[in-house]
């Protein structure tokens, strides 16, 4: 047992929190960024989407890089790239530069994400993993929801550029903690990254997402992009199933429980990123909240998530994954429906009950699914398993922003005025509600009732 395992937990939780924060921290800052750079509505969407898309497209490479280079070394390279790209975002001068640096941030995050959870699991005994992963995942999800508050504070009292500069000292502190904790660097012999596979999956996912995002405005060209992207992903899938050493271990999906965990996380991320982005825009553009007030308005989502995450981790230790996930996703579904019904009224107070329920549901769901998925494979395969899970999860988030954005932007011009825009955002929340309801169904069909058997000792 690593005597410095709690330092490891702090470093890995800090890194994941930094990644999650940057998925939503810009949402409150977007109106200020749009005025200064300037950004069109689609440009604003791509400031969010470029980051998540890069993670989705490259996180599988991150899992392979951990096998090739060793987990700590791959993690350190990712952290370095992340905070350097963050400094680039802070100095962005136009639409193209901010989107490019956001994509580089995503590439750094893709190196960090698959290995951070596996490093944590490797240094803690199996009996402590539910509780420890509840801290790891729960705190990071708090930062996902806390993004609008942090972004609001910095945008209103400093500048939107400080939103990105915040990552530089956090990244340096994380590197220092990893060095002090002395995590063993053990590459997997014979590992390699297939260039041909990477050349299929990265543009394939990018084309699918771009096609979905532009469906409302491009028509036939967007359908062509979708078909081309789907073709590349299908070709990639066939190659992976035939390969002796695949880039993404698709055979992991033969385990129904692993598939259920991945599907639930993908569906949650699909709905979550869209509602965080458009709720911040709703508060500022329709209710007239300033950046600071819009950030504070997210507290009814943040605080319940924080508390429920700890409950979810302990519940998993006692009963397994199915019960907390089914209850959590059912609560999420009820909460998002209550939230969307309150949106057309243009009153913040009526939204609070729905936000609280969504926060509770997310807290109960996210830690158990992640812990269960990685607990189903031996330590040697966890980097790959984590890469697969994060690919599904981040692809879900990317597609969620694209689909919900298409609904909101597509309906907005047809429903002019403040009430019409609120109705359009409510329709986008309806798509998120559908994703949460599907997660309930997926959990019921795929997740076992009993606790997963302990993974082989590292």
């Amino acid at each position: 047992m690593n005597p410095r395992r709690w330092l490891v937990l702090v470093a890995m939780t800090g890194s994941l929190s930094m990644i999650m924060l940057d998925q939503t921290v810009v949402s409150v800052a977007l109106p200020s960024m749009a005025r200064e750079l300037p950004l069109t509505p689609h440009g604003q969407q791509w400031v969010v989407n470029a980051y998540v898309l890069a993670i989705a497209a490259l996180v599988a490479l991150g899992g392979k890089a951990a096998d090739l280079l060793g987990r700590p070394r791959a993690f350190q390279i990712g952290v370095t790239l992340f905070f350097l790209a963050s400094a680039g975002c802070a100095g962005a001068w136009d639409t193209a530069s901010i989107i490019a640096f956001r994509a580089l941030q995503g590439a750094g995050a893709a190196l960090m994400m698959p290995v951070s959870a596996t490093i944590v699991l490797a240094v803690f005994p199996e009996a402590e993993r539910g509780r420890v992963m509840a801290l790891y995942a729960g705190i990071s999800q708090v930062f996902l929801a806390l993004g609008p508050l942090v972004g609001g504070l910095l945008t209103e009292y400093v500048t939107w550029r400080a939103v990105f500069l915040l990552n530089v000292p956090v990244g340096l502190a994380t590197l220092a903690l990893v060095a002090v904790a002395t995590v063993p660097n053990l590459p997997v012999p014979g590992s390699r990254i297939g260039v041909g596979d990477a050349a299929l999956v990265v543009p394939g996912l990018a084309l699918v997402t771009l096609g979905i995002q532009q469906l409302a405005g491009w028509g036939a060209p967007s359908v062509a992009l979708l078909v081309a992207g789907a073709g590349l992903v299908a070709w990639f899938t066939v190659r992976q199933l035939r390969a002796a050493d695949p880039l993404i271990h698709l055979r992991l999906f033969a385990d129904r429980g692993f598939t259920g965990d991945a599907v639930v996380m993908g569906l949650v991320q699909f709905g979550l990123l869209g509602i965080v982005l458009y709720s911040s825009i709703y508060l500022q553009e329709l209710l007239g909240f300033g950046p600071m007030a819009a950030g504070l308005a997210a507290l009814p989502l943040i605080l319940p998530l924080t508390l429920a995450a700890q409950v979810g981790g302990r519940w998993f230790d006692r009963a397994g994954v199915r019960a907390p996930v089914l209850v959590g996703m059912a609560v999420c579904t009820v909460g998002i429906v209550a939230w969307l019904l309150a949106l057309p009224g243009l009153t913040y107070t009526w939204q609070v009950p729905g936000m609280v329920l969504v926060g509770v549901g997310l807290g109960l769901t996210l830690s158990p699914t992640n812990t269960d998925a990685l607990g189903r494979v031996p330590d040697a395969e966890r980097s790959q398993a984590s890469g697969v899970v994060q690919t599904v999860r981040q692809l879900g988030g990317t597609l969620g922003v694209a689909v919900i954005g298409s609904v909101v932007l597509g309906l907005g011009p047809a429903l002019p005025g403040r009430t019409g825009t609120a109705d359009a955002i409510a329709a986008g929340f309806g798509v998120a509600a559908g994703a949460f309801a599907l997660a309930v169904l997926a959990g019921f069909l795929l997740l076992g009732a009993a606790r997963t058997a302990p993974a082989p000792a590292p």
Side-chain angles (χ1 to χ4, degrees):
M1 186 184 299
N2 190 326
R4 296 178 177 175
R5 62 190 183 280
W6 293 103
L7 278 180
V8 174
L9 177 64
V10 171
M12 298 303 111
T13 302
S15 71
L16 187 61
S17 297
M18 186 169 59
I19 293 168
M20 294 299 182
L21 182 71
D22 268 69
Q23 291 190 20
T24 57
V25 73
V26 299
S27 58
V28 173
L30 274 175
S32 299
M33 294 168 64
R35 288 189 292 270
E36 184 174 333
L37 289 177
L39 296 171
T40 65
H42 283 298
Q44 292 181 56
Q45 195 174 22
W46 270 102
V47 170
V48 176
N49 221 27
Y51 176 75
V52 184
L53 172 60
I55 297 176
L58 298 172
V59 73
L61 299 182
K64 266 296 190 184
D67 291 342
L68 184 66
L69 303 173
R71 291 171 184 171
R73 188 166 300 156
F75 179 81
Q76 289 163 337
I77 293 171
V79 172
T80 303
L81 177 58
F82 189 89
F83 77 71
L84 290 176
S86 297
C89 289
W93 55 93
D94 60 11
T95 300
S97 62
I98 186 66
I99 291 175
F101 284 122
R102 286 285 283 170
L104 285 175
Q105 270 191 310
L111 281 172
M112 288 189 278
M113 291 185 77
V115 295
S116 61
T118 59
I119 289 174
V120 171
L121 287 176
V123 299
F124 281 90
E126 194 272 336
E128 296 181 6
R129 286 175 184 166
R131 179 168 60 94
V132 168
M133 290 299 286
L135 291 170
Y136 167 81
I139 291 173
S140 65
Q141 289 300 321
V142 167
F143 276 85
L144 180 75
L146 198 61
L149 175 58
V150 175
L153 282 167
L154 294 176
T155 300
E156 187 158 331
Y157 295 109
V158 188
T159 169
W160 65 264
R161 297 180 187 274
V163 166
F164 298 105
L165 288 175
L166 180 67
N167 292 326
V168 176
V170 175
L172 292 172
T174 299
L175 289 175
L177 282 172
V178 172
V180 170
T182 59
V183 179
N185 195 74
L186 302 171
V188 176
S191 297
R192 64 179 186 85
I193 294 177
V195 176
D197 292 336
L200 287 174
V201 69
V202 174
L205 293 175
L207 288 173
V208 167
T209 304
L210 180 60
I212 291 174
Q213 186 180 21
Q214 302 301 333
L215 273 175
W218 287 5
S222 64
V223 174
L225 291 175
L226 272 170
V227 171
L232 289 175
V233 172
W235 186 6
F236 169 80
T237 300
V238 171
R239 285 174 59 97
Q240 298 311 287
L241 292 174
R242 294 176 177 175
D245 183 23
L247 179 63
I248 298 180
H249 286 204
L250 298 178
R251 292 183 179 86
L252 289 167
F253 289 109
D255 182 331
R256 281 183 55 190
F258 181 89
T259 300
D261 291 325
V263 169
V264 168
M265 283 191 277
L267 289 169
V268 168
Q269 204 77 354
F270 179 101
L272 179 59
L273 280 188
I275 63 175
V276 169
L277 172 62
Y278 283 100
S279 65
S280 296
I281 293 173
Y282 173 97
L283 291 170
Q284 292 186 80
E285 300 296 329
L286 298 183
L287 299 189
F289 284 31
M292 173 67 175
L296 289 172
L299 288 177
L301 178 68
I302 296 166
L303 296 178
L305 192 158
T306 308
L307 297 173
Q310 304 313 306
V311 174
R314 286 166 171 76
W315 194 351
F316 171 81
D317 280 338
R318 294 194 309 270
V321 68
R322 193 181 195 193
V325 167
L326 290 181
V327 172
M329 291 317 306
V331 171
C332 262
T333 305
V334 173
I336 194 64
V337 171
W339 195 350
L340 75 87
L341 291 175
L343 290 173
L346 296 171
T347 302
Y348 169 72
T349 306
W350 289 105
Q351 298 175 45
V352 171
M355 296 173 72
V356 170
L357 289 174
V358 171
V360 170
L362 291 173
L364 292 176
T365 301
L366 292 169
S367 172
T369 49
N370 192 52
T371 308
D372 184 65
L374 298 187
R376 290 175 174 274
V377 297
D379 181 67
E381 296 179 15
R382 282 194 187 132
S383 292
Q384 279 293 298
S386 184
V388 170
V389 167
Q390 294 302 333
T391 297
V392 174
R393 184 173 178 176
Q394 298 308 318
L395 180 58
T398 305
L399 295 180
V401 171
V403 172
I404 293 172
S406 293
V407 171
V408 175
L409 295 175
L411 287 178
L415 302 168
R418 292 174 70 233
T419 303
T421 304
D423 288 338
I425 293 176
F429 275 45
V431 175
F436 291 159
L438 285 174
V440 176
L441 179 62
F444 180 79
L445 294 176
L446 296 173
L447 296 179
R451 181 180 177 180
T452 302

